[in-house]
Amino acid sequence: MTCRELIRRASESFCAAGIPDPVNDAALLLSHLTGRPPLALRLDEETVLDPSVIDSFKSLAEKRLSRIPLQYLLGEAPFYGRMFRVDSRVLIPRPETELLCEWALELLKDRSSPRILDLCCGSGCIGISLKAELPSASVTLSDISPDALDLAAENASLLGADVALCRSDLLEAFSGTSFDLIISNPPYIPSADCDTLQEEVLREPRLALDGGNDGLSVYRRIVREAFPRLSPGGFLLMELGISEDEAVSALLSDYGYESIQIREDLSGIRRMILSTHP
Ligand code: GLN
């Protein structure tokens, strides 16, 4: 069977199973096995595939049909121009979170050696990207999940990022420390919605998604716990779930944070909130 034919067959079965991006997924799985670019594979009507490659492909395609996310099967996901290892221990990095990093870099461009905390770091994509873009920064990654921290450590070492890693239930482990930026993409999905998510998302760690009854539980704690851990003029920058901007903005202003600003993602969803310690 040729590359093109294998991709065509797999994408038909993916499509029938309701997988959102069938051709892309089939081509990326074959690219993962052959090391050749996905577009070249889609066009290749000549190369006859080795039976062992076809077998490996079939086993990956079976897994994809059971709705294991593509990125878990590939073992990696791109974020802010770099590849991060991912597996079922962590949330898969999302493109909207890249905008959060971009905002952080704008905020810190005139500060020398900023101290940054990536809270709920998961794969480490935010903190490692910031360290790579701002080598003078001192960056700490923290998460409550030891499994996530193991993978974040692996990513930091693969990407050559000299960061500190610390297991902590939100800011509990950080008494006596202060940061110029606390950045977080916290769990923000209301618990009741967590069971109705797209099948692939259900494969991601519940701990990384579930924001309690109204989705705001983790924000309530971060708002309170981050305040004494920020330097004067320090920033708290967080990603938001859908329609959470007003509630989180109220939490921040009630607590005494200043200069609250909101930005949209590329779909026009109010996705990020910035506030400043007085
Ligand atoms: N910071 C990681 C990310 O944005 C993990 C976020 C999380 O686990 N809630 O992908």
Side-chain angles (χ1 to χ4, degrees), residues 186-195 206-221 244:
Y188 54 58
I189 298 174
S191 303
D193 296 350
C194 284
D195 299 320
R206 174 100 183 200
L207 191 61
L209 299 167
D210 192 337
N213 279 343
D214 59 358
L216 304 175
S217 300
V218 183
Y219 294 110
R220 285 193 191 87
R221 278 192 59 197
E244 293 180 335

Side-chain angles (χ1 to χ4, degrees), residues 92-111:
I92 297 163
R94 307 291 203 273
E96 50 271 29
T97 310
E98 296 179 320
L99 300 174
L100 196 72
C101 281
E102 207 164 84
W103 198 354
L105 291 170
E106 274 173 46
L107 294 168
L108 296 176
K109 68 177 184 308
D110 298 324
R111 300 208 181 188

Side-chain angles (χ1 to χ4, degrees), residues 91 93 97 120-122 125-126 185-187 208:
L91 192 83
T97 310
C120 311
C121 68
C125 59
I126 297 176
N185 174 21

Side-chain angles (χ1 to χ4, degrees), residues 257-276:
Y257 289 84
E258 293 176 350
S259 312
I260 297 168
Q261 290 176 51
I262 286 167
R263 279 194 188 172
E264 295 181 349
D265 64 17
L266 299 174
S267 330
I269 294 168
R270 290 182 297 279
R271 184 59 80 184
M272 297 159 266
I273 191 159
L274 168 68
S275 59
T276 307

